């Protein structure tokens, strides 16, 4: 059955996702801190749920921008993965994802990783379908909304320059 898309604008807050996880010994790299690929998987999961909450139909990951690992974390760290839609475009949505961690014995969370992940809404035929506009309501949400357009414009400009060189 075809999925129905409600194209009425949706507030950014409606796409907010927070997932908690604990870092297990099997999630570590050979240096004894959290494996980056494990963190990326959690971020893609939270980001995909956020995009789905915004548009209400299946989404696929199309690109990841500015993935930054800021700090390592050992086993026993309690992770908090937060995601929300920064901006919806036509069929795509930029989702901001931030991972913080409460390390064993510490009382304050540390920023571990952040990224901007773009998802595309997909219809029953596997092709992109339009998504509702996103409505930023707070100063922070409005800042992220404006910055998402800058990132998109910069990417498109770079794509054009690279294509012109071929
Ligand atoms: C996502 C997919 C359907 C898009 O197909 P496409 O032919 O590029 O479609 P379009 O050119 O119409 O672009 C669709 C949207 O994707 C965006 N997009 C395409 N490439 C992009 C990129 N590299 N970075 C950011 N956005 C991108 C376009 O800007 C467009 O957004 P808009 O409608 O909001 O302007 C196709 O690339 C795909 O199936 N990719 C594989 C997805 C996947 O398997 N992910 C991993 C598992 S979830």
């Amino acid at each position: 059955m075809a999925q129905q898309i409600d194209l009425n604008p949706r507030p950014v807050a409606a796409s907010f996702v927070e997932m908690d996880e604990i870092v297990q010994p099997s999630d570590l790299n050979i240096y004894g801190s959290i494996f980056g690929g494990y963190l990326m998987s959690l971020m893609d999961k939270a980001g995909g749920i956020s995009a789905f909450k915004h548009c209400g139909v299946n989404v696929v990951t199309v690109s990841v921008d500015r993935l930054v690992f800021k700090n390592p974390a050992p086993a026993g760290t309690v992770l908090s993965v937060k995601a929300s839609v920064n901006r919806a475009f036509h069929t795509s949505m930029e989702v901001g994802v931030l991972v913080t961690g409460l390390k064993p014995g510490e009382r304050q969370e540390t920023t571990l990783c952040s990224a901007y992940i773009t998802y595309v809404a997909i219809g029953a035929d596997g092709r992109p379908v339009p998504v509702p506009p996103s409505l930023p309501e707070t100063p922070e949400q409005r800042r992220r909304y404006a910055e998402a357009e800058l990132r998109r414009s910069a990417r498109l400009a770079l794509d054009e320059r690279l294509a012109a060189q071929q």
Side-chain angles (χ1 to χ4, degrees), residues 122-150:
I122 295 294
D125 61 355
R127 294 300 304 157
V129 291
V131 296
S134 56
L135 277 183
E137 293 174 315
T138 66
E140 185 78 347
Q141 289 172 1
R142 281 191 279 274
R143 179 182 63 75
R144 293 175 184 149
Y145 184 89
E147 289 178 0
E149 175 58 35
L150 291 179

Side-chain angles (χ1 to χ4, degrees), residues 28-136:
L28 301 181
N29 59 29
I30 55 172
Y31 311 109
S33 61
I34 190 166
F35 174 53
Y38 169 67
L39 263 185
M40 289 161 68
S41 162
L42 290 178
M43 294 169 82
D44 191 27
K45 191 185 287 184
I49 294 171
S50 174
F52 170 76
K53 284 178 77 174
H54 178 77
C55 68
V57 295
N58 292 340
V59 299
V60 291
T61 313
V62 66
S63 74
V64 180
D65 290 309
R66 297 190 57 87
L67 176 72
V68 182
F69 295 103
K70 293 183 175 140
N71 284 292
T77 299
V78 176
L79 302 174
S80 167
V81 188
K82 298 188 185 72
S84 58
V85 169
N86 286 341
R87 185 164 181 153
F89 295 98
H90 178 51
T91 64
S92 66
M93 296 150 280
E94 184 196 271
V95 177
V97 187
L98 174 71
V99 186
T100 55
L102 189 60
K103 298 180 189 177
E106 295 191 358
R107 304 294 292 169
Q108 279 209 322
E109 297 211 9
T110 305
T111 297
L112 301 180
C113 191
S114 60
Y116 303 102
I117 311 181
T118 300
Y119 297 88
V120 173
I122 295 294
D125 61 355
R127 294 300 304 157
V129 291
V131 296
S134 56
L135 277 183

